[in-house]
Amino acid sequence: RRTFPIARNEDTERPYILSMGSAHRDYPTLIKALEPLQIRTIIVTRPDTVSQLPQHDWIEYRHSLSSEECDQLLARARLSVTPVANLETASGQVTFIDAMRAGVAPVVTRCPGTQGYIEDGQNGALAAPFDADDLRQKIQALWQDDAARLALADRAAASAAAQFSDEAAAARLKEILLEVGGA
């Protein structure tokens, strides 16, 4: 993955949760989790998905954004939440790895797509699938605790740089080639 192109600049005047993506997202559980909290939330997904979701004054739905517009939203978000509805195959990695690379604390559904990427409490927060209460607790804990959120975001960024960058992938590929082909 490329280096994140925009400097982190959290919107402290009107903080928000950012949730992006269209492949196997569980936005109904996210919305149910957030209803008691009514935290400002921006959801970026396809227009046909938006038409099926409830409207609340604390949720902004956006679609058809450029990569640059998504990067700008991410750089200003307080939290990134990737709710995944797919428990069979991997989904959401690009979204939560971008959050990690941007230095935004990720909250992600525990599922096949998070295995090997997110270590709960170390470089992200994992919530039980389809469990609005667990998701709410993970979000609320990080939303309210600046020190914990910032420490998690820092560890997420370090983890992404060490494991998921082009440089890390090249080093691992070199190791594999040496193992297979010999010195």
Side-chain angles (χ1 to χ4, degrees):
R1 303 286 303 163
R2 62 185 165 75
T3 302
F4 194 74
I6 298 173
R8 177 92 170 102
N9 184 22
E10 181 182 327
D11 185 338
T12 56
E13 290 182 25
R14 293 192 63 222
Y16 58 88
I17 291 170
L18 180 64
S19 191
M20 294 192 289
S22 56
H24 305 287
R25 294 301 191 267
D26 185 12
Y27 291 125
T29 297
L30 173 62
I31 293 166
K32 183 178 179 184
L34 291 172
E35 282 175 345
L37 306 175
Q38 297 190 8
I39 294 170
R40 180 179 176 219
T41 302
I42 299 174
I43 296 176
V44 181
T45 191
R46 295 186 319 249
D48 60 314
T49 301
V50 171
S51 68
Q52 299 172 15
L53 295 171
Q55 303 295 310
H56 295 287
D57 60 358
W58 46 270
I59 299 176
E60 299 173 38
Y61 293 107
R62 300 190 188 177
H63 59 84
S64 307
L65 301 181
S66 68
S67 293
E68 183 178 319
E69 290 169 313
C70 290
D71 289 345
Q72 290 171 353
L73 282 173
L74 184 54
R76 297 190 51 75
R78 177 172 283 185
L79 283 176
S80 172
V81 180
T82 308
V84 179
N86 182 3
L87 302 182
E88 301 297 320
T89 60
S91 298
Q93 298 86 349
V94 170
T95 303
F96 65 76
I97 289 173
D98 277 350
M100 294 169 74
R101 290 176 40 257
V104 179
V107 179
V108 186
T109 303
R110 181 180 285 109
C111 62
T114 58
Q115 296 170 353
Y117 293 100
I118 301 288
E119 294 179 49
D120 191 30
Q122 295 303 308
N123 62 355
L126 291 174
F130 309 108
D131 187 334
D133 292 333
D134 189 42
L135 184 58
R136 179 182 314 107
Q137 289 171 7
K138 301 286 183 172
I139 290 169
Q140 190 171 24
L142 290 170
W143 187 265
Q144 294 176 342
D145 188 338
D146 292 341
R149 184 181 64 257
L150 295 172
L152 187 70
D154 287 346
R155 291 191 304 270
S159 174
Q163 297 175 326
F164 313 128
S165 65
D166 288 345
E167 294 79 11
R172 181 64 184 129
L173 181 58
K174 181 180 177 182
E175 289 174 14
I176 292 168
L177 291 173
L178 289 174
E179 289 173 14
V180 173

